[in-house]
Amino acid sequence: MDNRAIGMFDSGIGGITVLKEVKNLLPNEEIIYLGDTKRFPYGSKSKDTIIEISRQCIKFLISKNVKLIIIACGTATSQSLETLKEEFNIPIIGIIEPTVRYIKESVKNERERIGVIATSGTIRSGQWEKKIKEEVKNAQIINEEAPLLATMAEQGWISNKVAEYTIKEYMKCFKNIDKLVLGCTHYPLFEELIREELKNNTEIINTGTKVAEFIKKYIKDMNIQNDESNKEYKIYLTDLDNNFNEIAERLLDDNLKTKIEKAEI
């Protein structure tokens, strides 16, 4: 047993979609969340910059004595995970591996059409396509950069007319696909609009759900579950002057007034 917290970080509000799923599936686990709101967005930054930013976030979470770290960000997972796993002696889990494992187990045929929507940096890295094809060799991958969505999510523009028009445009290439991976943790905030636009039997994959399922099995296998009843979580932000609180409170159905502190990184 291990009663230390689970750490996770993202560039902003997106990772809260992962925190929500982990919290729901693992109610005894304490969670420490770092939102790097000062340096949002990550999607347009270089790989070297993403690696350095992620390194700093991981060091901050290690200073809080966490037992494992979730990179709750598609861009940081795709561009920094492999490098940082070699640098740090702590389990670091991104959003790609758990999701690809699920895809491998759930495909109905080897030629499934799988869509991936993510930030520009994530799509440029090619990591989603590479990892999916390692497990489902003949899968047809359709990639789409959606650089506007993360910024819109941070502004709370998730259900207005601008969001509707933007989703409509981004969904044009995803007609008649079998699965759609929401490759940025901000994108589940638009899931309802995406479902309405696709209007078919496409399976929409929320990476936060798959990460939570993976973590539940992982901590059990490693015997590092929290053996106390502890539903607490703490949120640190690198910049407090943003729309984070309002959106996060709606997602978590909780008053975050006493749960948010400034992180000096």
Side-chain angles (χ1 to χ4, degrees), residues 36-54:
D36 191 12
T37 45
K38 181 171 66 176
R39 294 180 289 196
F40 172 87
Y42 284 0
S44 58
K45 291 179 169 58
S46 70
K47 180 176 181 177
D48 287 346
T49 298
I50 294 298
I51 290 172
E52 179 55 31
I53 287 172
S54 299

Side-chain angles (χ1 to χ4, degrees), residues 213-247:
E213 292 168 354
F214 181 93
I215 294 296
K216 182 177 182 179
K217 183 178 186 302
Y218 180 86
I219 65 172
K220 181 180 179 181
D221 290 346
M222 300 299 292
N223 195 29
I224 56 172
Q225 310 100 308
N226 191 335
D227 60 1
E228 298 177 356
S229 180
N230 186 339
K231 298 182 180 180
E232 289 302 309
Y233 58 92
K234 189 74 180 178
I235 296 173
Y236 291 89
L237 301 178
T238 53
D239 184 2
L240 299 177
D241 186 18
N242 52 63
N243 299 314
F244 185 97
N245 293 38
E246 180 183 350
I247 304 166

Side-chain angles (χ1 to χ4, degrees), residues 103-104 107-115 128-142 178-179:
I103 291 171
K104 179 183 178 181
V107 291
K108 296 177 181 177
N109 66 75
E110 281 286 314
R111 295 192 62 80
E112 280 202 358
R113 289 169 55 83
I114 301 171
W128 276 107
E129 183 161 0
K130 176 186 174 185
K131 297 298 185 183
I132 293 172
K133 289 208 165 189
E134 285 176 356
E135 302 297 341
V136 189
K137 292 182 172 52
N138 295 318
Q140 299 177 66
I141 312 299
I142 300 93
D178 299 295
K179 303 180 189 301

Side-chain angles (χ1 to χ4, degrees), residues 9 50 54 70-82 93-97 122 127-128:
F9 75 90
I50 294 298
S54 299
I70 300 169
I71 301 183
C73 170
T75 302
T77 296
S78 67
Q79 303 203 45
S80 71
L81 177 62
E82 293 180 3
I93 296 159
I95 69 168
I96 296 178
E97 181 186 353
T122 299
Q127 285 297 303
W128 276 107

Side-chain angles (χ1 to χ4, degrees), residues 7-256:
M8 63 177 70
F9 75 90
D10 178 45
S11 60
I13 195 71
I16 293 295
T17 63
V18 181
L19 187 156
K20 177 183 177 180
E21 300 297 339
V22 173
K23 176 174 170 285
N24 288 343
L25 204 56
L26 296 166
N28 285 352
E29 297 294 333
E30 181 182 358
I31 300 170
I32 296 177
Y33 180 89
L34 173 63
D36 191 12
T37 45
K38 181 171 66 176
R39 294 180 289 196
F40 172 87
Y42 284 0
S44 58
K45 291 179 169 58
S46 70
K47 180 176 181 177
D48 287 346
T49 298
I50 294 298
I51 290 172
E52 179 55 31
I53 287 172
S54 299
R55 183 181 289 120
Q56 293 171 16
C57 291
I58 287 171
K59 287 180 178 179
F60 175 85
L61 290 170
I62 289 174
S63 76
K64 300 301 178 183
N65 194 33
V66 299
K67 60 188 174 186
L68 66 88
I69 293 172
I70 300 169
I71 301 183
C73 170
T75 302
T77 296
S78 67
Q79 303 203 45
S80 71
L81 177 62
E82 293 180 3
T83 298
L84 298 177
K85 284 176 75 171
E86 294 178 357
E87 291 185 15
F88 293 97
N89 187 29
I90 186 173
I92 305 174
I93 296 159
I95 69 168
I96 296 178
E97 181 186 353
T99 307
V100 171
R101 284 193 180 192
Y102 167 77
I103 291 171
K104 179 183 178 181
E105 293 167 359
S106 65
V107 291
K108 296 177 181 177
N109 66 75
E110 281 286 314
R111 295 192 62 80
E112 280 202 358
R113 289 169 55 83
I114 301 171
V116 178
I117 187 169
T119 65
S120 300
T122 299
I123 297 298
R124 283 198 309 270
S125 76
Q127 285 297 303
W128 276 107
E129 183 161 0
K130 176 186 174 185
K131 297 298 185 183
I132 293 172
K133 289 208 165 189
E134 285 176 356
E135 302 297 341
V136 189
K137 292 182 172 52
N138 295 318
Q140 299 177 66
I141 312 299
I142 300 93
N143 294 302
E144 175 75 356
E145 297 180 11
L148 298 178
L149 294 185
T151 300
M152 289 168 59
E154 294 286 330
Q155 293 296 321
W157 291 11
I158 57 178
S159 59
N160 59 15
K161 288 296 182 183
V162 175
E164 290 178 15
Y165 295 145
T166 305
I167 292 296
K168 186 178 185 68
E169 187 65 28
Y170 283 142
M171 289 301 109
K172 284 181 178 178
C173 66
F174 294 126
K175 305 302 181 183
N176 302 315
I177 60 172
D178 299 295
K179 303 180 189 301
L180 177 62
V181 177
L182 305 182
C184 169
T185 55
H186 286 79
Y187 297 178
L189 294 167
F190 302 94
E191 186 170 344
E192 185 175 338
L193 289 179
I194 291 171
R195 288 188 185 280
E196 290 176 2
E197 187 59 33
L198 289 179
K199 294 178 182 175
N200 57 28
N201 294 323
T202 299
E203 178 185 6
I204 298 173
I205 301 176
N206 179 341
T207 54
T209 303
K210 304 312 167 191
V211 169
E213 292 168 354
F214 181 93
I215 294 296
K216 182 177 182 179
K217 183 178 186 302
Y218 180 86
I219 65 172
K220 181 180 179 181
D221 290 346
M222 300 299 292
N223 195 29
I224 56 172
Q225 310 100 308
N226 191 335
D227 60 1
E228 298 177 356
S229 180
N230 186 339
K231 298 182 180 180
E232 289 302 309
Y233 58 92
K234 189 74 180 178
I235 296 173
Y236 291 89
L237 301 178
T238 53
D239 184 2
L240 299 177
D241 186 18
N242 52 63
N243 299 314
F244 185 97
N245 293 38
E246 180 183 350
I247 304 166
E249 285 181 354
R250 276 190 284 162
L251 274 172
L252 298 172
D253 191 25
D254 196 1
N255 187 331
L256 303 182

